[in-house]
Amino acid sequence: MTLQFVFHYPETNGSDGDLLDSGALDDVARAAETAGFDALALTEHPIPGARWLHTGGHQSLDPFVALAFAAAATSRLRLLTHLALAPYRNPFLLAKAAATVDKLSGGRMILGLGAGYQKSEFHALGVPLDDRGALFDEVLDCLPLHWKGEPFTYQGRNFDARDVMARPKPVQDPIPIWIGGNSKAARRRAVERAQGWMPMIGPPELARTTQTPTLANFDDVAVAIREMQDEAEAFGRTEPLDFLSSYSDSTLTDPTVDVERHRTRLGELEAAGLTWVIVTHPRCEPAVLLDWLAAFGSEYIGR
Amino acid sequence: MTADTEVYYDPYDFEIDNDPYPVWRRLREEAPLYYNGKHDFYAVSRFQDVEQGLTDWKTYSSAKGMLLEIIKAVVEYGVELPPGNILFEDPPIHDVHRGILSRVFSPKRMLAIEPKVREFCAQTLDPLVGSGGFDFITDLGAQMPMRTIGMLLGIPDSDQEAIREAIDASLALEEGDAPKQQPIDALAYAEGLFGEYIDWRAKNPSDDLMTQLLEAEFEDEHGERRRLTRTEVLVYVSNVASAGNETTTRLIGWTGKVLAEHPDQLAAVAADRDLVPKVIEEVLRYEAPSPVQARYVTRDVEWYGETVPQGSVMLMLNGSANRDDRKFDNGDSFDIHRKSEHHLSFGFGLHFCLGASLARMEGRVALDEVLKRWPHWEVDYDGAVQARTSTVRGWTRLPVRIDA
């Protein structure tokens, strides 16, 4: 299995500028696919705190609506929520949104889910922050039931579904669920109830902001991956888990320099057990992004 | 349709250069690997082939130059290329030099001078309003890139015009023959242009790119941490200036010409100037200012069942690749509304144009400032003159009429 690449659409930080400054989403999706990327990713922040957005937070689209749009412009590219916040939605609405993208795209959806951390966003959405763990688990109960396409009854703590049924079924069985976050709970959910894990690597400050334990570097991640693979085996899993992490570096924006160093690094990440990496580019002119996507693909993807 | 005659392509034939696209189309369809016996070179012309060739620097080396006549001079006469010219280098030395320039020549820095560039355009164009016409090259395109690079480098305005004329003269071709190779005296030539300024700037540091180049520390190919030598700075600066001048001038000329030939699309962008960036991209694709890249072939390679022997010269026809129907629907048509796709006008791979952001910004600003003043123009072909160089294609004069 060779390393697969996700392109995260460039983020527009702050309230100035337009989210699509770097290019129309369909153009970018098409260019990413042509360049050899395996997936396109979008994040979710339906109603973030104003202070957070003003001070460098990022704008966002509804990822499901936008990924469906990107799907229509492409044919092979997988569509990843990186990540959607599981507690934010009613689990059946979330299941329906993901199933819709999967159906429309011919089975290309990957549902990246996190627990969320923004107090003001939880508050505005009417979701109690303290319940986020329990809500997350309920979501993971409901998704497979919904996606089966058969009548079911579910009685949870918050949601009570009696003899209900959802059609059409998604194309994939199941739609892969990848869990974000470094916590024990996130890792347990990934091993026992999902198909992949998306650790967040970075300094302790980042971990503090996003309320997740620190994974300082790829060595830490490699250790975690090995532990999770062992746990998965002990749990009786037969299907291998996917592991996605971001890869960023100051010279990655110029694919004409440092190419050997980055290739070596990417090789090390693969050796550490990662199956996917996610990369992005700073906000820029559309033409610059198209050139970058083509150049990145030619230097790093499929080698 | 069957071809009566075998297709012939010659980069030194002015007749072909006037409109190389029919020949390039035939190359793509009939001779995707082309060999020219007169000048002894091979050429590939399809998008995929050019893109792949430009990426494969191990097979297609730039170390002996990237113009046909320069590679010949180096191979046949043992001419030595000046050190530090990243266009004439392969890794690892290329990466060392490119790394320094890439740090200094950041897109952010280039975009930051946009307001100054606009101001220059306004000063240049305002006096021409109401005069019934202007020349896209002599009045705008010839001056703006030099001024822009000058702003980046911190060169005084008074020195700038002379520098540009000297560069233009050194690139001009005589009809029919391969030009006499020029790189022998490149260093002396650069010394004449920039020597005094470098010494002055070394004593008078500022916040410009030249100062940054003089002060940049880097690890060289022997692992030694050092600053650039005066000679290296000289070569860098003359590269940056000549590469950025000539090509951007041609981009501005092509913008004027191609839009005049497509009045409906000119009207569309005049009515909605948000389209300007898309127009510049399409002009770049449609009329690549630098449409031919030469490489030295370092090993026998197979193309379409034929062997290209080691030691050959391969021309990568990026200007042809940009018109390839396999990549761009109806590639020979100019369409500002086409789906955005990356083209090869700035090259591809490790020699991708360092100044692409600068060129795009200049093209955008030039067109936008022209459109602010004149929504429509027609080319006066009696006064128009094409430029003749073996690597840069465009106009040296492009007068246009403005109907009142």
Side-chain angles (χ1 to χ4, degrees):
Chain A
M1 175 93 181
T2 53
L3 201 55
Q4 293 189 275
F5 288 83
V6 188
F7 179 65
H8 195 295
Y9 186 94
E11 278 176 351
T12 294
N13 295 99
S15 44
D16 297 332
D18 187 278
L19 180 122
L20 292 176
D21 277 347
S22 302
L25 187 61
D26 49 345
D27 288 345
V28 172
R30 233 182 339 256
E33 180 168 272
T34 306
F37 279 91
D38 301 286
L40 175 76
L42 292 171
T43 187
E44 169 164 60
H45 272 294
I47 183 70
R51 198 168 68 90
W52 176 81
L53 191 56
H54 279 312
T55 54
H58 44 265
Q59 304 185 17
S60 71
L61 298 168
D62 179 294
F64 296 96
V65 175
L67 288 173
F69 181 74
T74 53
S75 56
R76 183 186 55 79
L77 203 64
R78 308 291 301 267
L79 309 148
L80 170 69
T81 50
H82 186 258
L83 36 72
L85 288 321
Y88 282 7
R89 294 174 203 236
N90 172 292
F92 301 114
L93 288 176
L94 177 65
K96 180 53 93 177
T100 302
V101 176
D102 196 61
K103 181 73 179 169
L104 294 178
S105 67
R108 293 187 276 143
M109 179 74 204
I110 302 172
L111 183 60
L113 289 177
Y117 60 92
Q118 273 209 17
K119 209 173 188 171
S120 50
E121 201 163 39
F122 272 93
H123 197 76
L125 291 169
V127 179
L129 179 66
D130 293 344
D131 281 0
R132 61 182 185 158
L135 284 165
F136 201 152
D137 283 325
E138 250 184 299
V139 162
L140 293 174
D141 291 339
C142 294
L143 292 175
L145 293 171
H146 185 284
W147 292 341
K148 273 278 178 281
E150 303 301 331
F152 68 92
T153 294
Y154 173 78
Q155 260 189 297
R157 245 182 52 174
N158 300 284
F159 307 100
D160 191 359
R162 299 177 191 189
D163 195 26
V164 291
M165 175 177 177
R167 288 285 173 94
K169 291 201 291 188
V171 175
Q172 298 180 93
D173 180 20
I175 296 171
I177 299 169
W178 293 358
I179 308 291
N182 302 345
S183 69
K184 270 207 172 67
R187 291 168 51 166
R188 178 185 50 76
R189 287 184 185 114
V191 166
E192 298 179 2
R193 316 186 65 186
Q195 284 69 41
W197 182 50
M198 306 185 290
M200 185 184 278
I201 299 173
E205 302 82 66
L206 176 75
R208 247 195 321 278
T209 311
T210 53
Q211 295 181 24
T212 200
T214 301
L215 285 172
N217 53 46
F218 283 110
D219 291 340
D220 289 356
V221 173
V223 171
I225 287 175
R226 270 195 303 277
E227 287 171 4
M228 287 173 69
Q229 282 167 336
D230 291 345
E231 287 160 22
E233 203 183 325
F235 187 73
R237 277 188 80 103
T238 49
E239 292 292 306
L241 282 163
D242 273 304
F243 295 98
L244 164 82
S245 176
S246 68
Y247 179 59
S248 63
D249 187 284
S250 60
T251 64
L252 210 57
T253 52
D254 184 353
T256 66
V257 296
D258 266 0
V259 172
E260 283 310 318
R261 182 167 70 83
H262 291 306
R263 279 195 197 139
T264 306
R265 200 81 187 97
L266 288 165
E268 288 165 4
L269 300 188
E270 195 175 346
L274 288 175
T275 54
W276 291 75
V277 286
I278 184 164
V279 294
T280 190
H281 188 278
R283 185 164 64 112
C284 61
E285 287 179 67
V288 172
L289 186 61
L290 295 188
D291 283 338
W292 182 85
L293 286 166
F296 185 94
S298 142
E299 295 296 354
Y300 300 116
I301 300 180
R303 279 175 183 268
Chain B
M1 197 184 83
T2 49
D4 296 322
T5 53
E6 218 170 282
V7 57
Y8 180 78
Y9 171 63
D10 179 343
Y12 304 123
D13 184 325
F14 286 4
E15 191 99 7
I16 294 173
D17 188 57
N18 281 341
D19 180 11
Y21 297 108
V23 176
W24 285 345
R25 171 166 285 273
R26 284 190 60 193
L27 289 184
R28 291 194 300 273
E29 301 314 317
E30 297 165 28
L33 174 70
Y34 172 74
Y35 177 70
N36 178 308
K38 183 180 172 192
H39 299 292
D40 185 28
F41 67 83
Y42 290 84
V44 288
S45 47
R46 293 182 179 173
F47 186 93
Q48 200 185 345
D49 296 345
V50 175
E51 191 181 62
Q52 188 221 314
L54 288 173
T55 317
D56 183 4
W57 57 266
K58 283 183 178 144
T59 306
Y60 305 100
S61 168
S62 296
K64 298 178 194 301
M66 35 67 78
L67 297 183
L68 176 57
E69 58 271 19
I70 289 183
I71 298 178
K72 294 281 180 192
V74 170
V75 172
E76 285 164 26
Y77 306 110
V79 170
E80 279 192 35
L81 295 169
N85 186 332
I86 54 170
L87 286 174
F88 303 159
E89 291 174 344
D90 293 334
I93 186 70
H94 166 272
D95 292 7
V96 174
H97 292 154
R98 170 110 191 181
I100 301 165
L101 275 182
S102 148
R103 235 182 324 138
V104 174
F105 224 61
S106 67
K108 215 171 167 182
R109 182 183 209 103
M110 294 185 219
L111 295 179
I113 60 169
E114 178 171 337
K116 280 192 186 172
V117 178
R118 278 196 188 274
E119 199 184 315
F120 169 78
C121 280
Q123 284 167 8
T124 307
L125 296 178
D126 280 341
L128 300 167
V129 173
S131 68
F134 68 99
D135 192 310
F136 263 91
I137 304 296
T138 54
D139 288 327
L140 181 64
Q143 302 179 42
M144 182 179 164
M146 187 67 221
R147 291 296 154 94
T148 306
I149 292 170
M151 290 169 201
L152 280 174
L153 289 176
I155 298 178
D157 282 1
S158 53
D159 294 352
Q160 293 200 5
E161 190 69 8
I163 290 171
R164 188 191 55 76
E165 277 168 15
I167 289 165
D168 279 1
S170 81
L171 284 170
L173 275 188
E174 305 279 330
E175 165 108 52
D177 276 317
K180 312 292 164 269
Q181 41 70 32
Q182 313 119 12
I184 292 177
D185 289 316
L187 199 55
Y189 170 69
E191 173 68 44
L193 292 183
F194 300 108
E196 270 183 52
Y197 172 64
I198 289 177
D199 295 335
W200 178 79
R201 186 52 84 197
K203 284 179 217 132
N204 301 278
S206 171
D207 62 348
D208 53 50
L209 195 145
M210 179 67 90
T211 305
Q212 262 207 325
L213 266 184
L214 287 165
E215 293 177 355
E217 279 198 19
F218 70 105
E219 190 171 310
D220 70 11
E221 67 275 25
H222 311 297
E224 189 192 330
R225 253 202 109 62
R226 63 177 179 91
R227 289 188 177 183
L228 293 167
T229 65
R230 182 176 180 282
T231 303
E232 285 170 327
V233 171
L234 202 54
V235 173
Y236 274 26
V237 169
S238 65
N239 287 342
V240 164
S242 67
N245 251 341
E246 174 73 8
T247 45
T248 315
T249 302
R250 301 307 158 224
L251 167 62
I252 293 168
W254 284 121
T255 305
K257 174 175 185 284
V258 173
L259 282 175
E261 284 175 345
H262 298 85
D264 51 331
Q265 300 190 58
L266 173 54
V269 64
D272 177 7
R273 298 214 310 275
D274 285 350
L275 289 171
V276 163
K278 279 202 87 149
V279 172
I280 294 302
E281 260 347 88
E282 179 64 352
V283 172
L284 279 164
R285 181 195 71 84
Y286 190 73
E287 293 286 8
S290 175
V292 179
Q293 318 300 322
R295 296 286 189 268
Y296 176 81
V297 180
T298 61
R299 61 177 178 96
D300 288 5
V301 273
E302 187 130 329
W303 279 102
Y304 299 101
E306 281 181 62
T307 299
V308 176
Q310 178 193 344
S312 306
V313 176
M314 176 68 90
L315 298 190
M316 306 283 174
L317 302 179
N318 55 315
S320 164
N322 280 349
R323 301 282 194 109
D324 190 346
D325 295 337
R326 292 162 192 81
K327 173 78 176 177
F328 301 97
D329 291 344
N330 204 357
D332 274 327
S333 78
F334 179 78
D335 178 5
I336 62 173
H337 300 293
R338 70 170 57 243
K339 282 179 189 164
S340 306
E341 298 234 42
H342 101 106
H343 52 70
L344 300 179
S345 287
F346 291 116
F348 197 62
L350 84 168
H351 292 286
F352 182 83
C353 178
L354 194 61
S357 295
L358 191 63
R360 284 178 164 131
M361 182 271 282
E362 291 180 61
R364 253 192 311 110
V365 170
L367 176 58
D368 198 47
E369 294 296 324
V370 166
L371 288 172
K372 271 186 194 167
R373 293 163 178 84
W374 304 286
H376 181 80
W377 58 85
E378 277 170 29
V379 175
D380 170 12
Y381 282 103
D382 291 341
V385 180
Q386 251 187 295
R388 301 299 177 187
T389 76
S390 69
T391 181
V392 179
R393 202 177 152 262
W395 299 83
T396 32
R397 281 174 188 280
L398 193 78
V400 297
R401 280 187 305 271
I402 313 281
D403 295 328

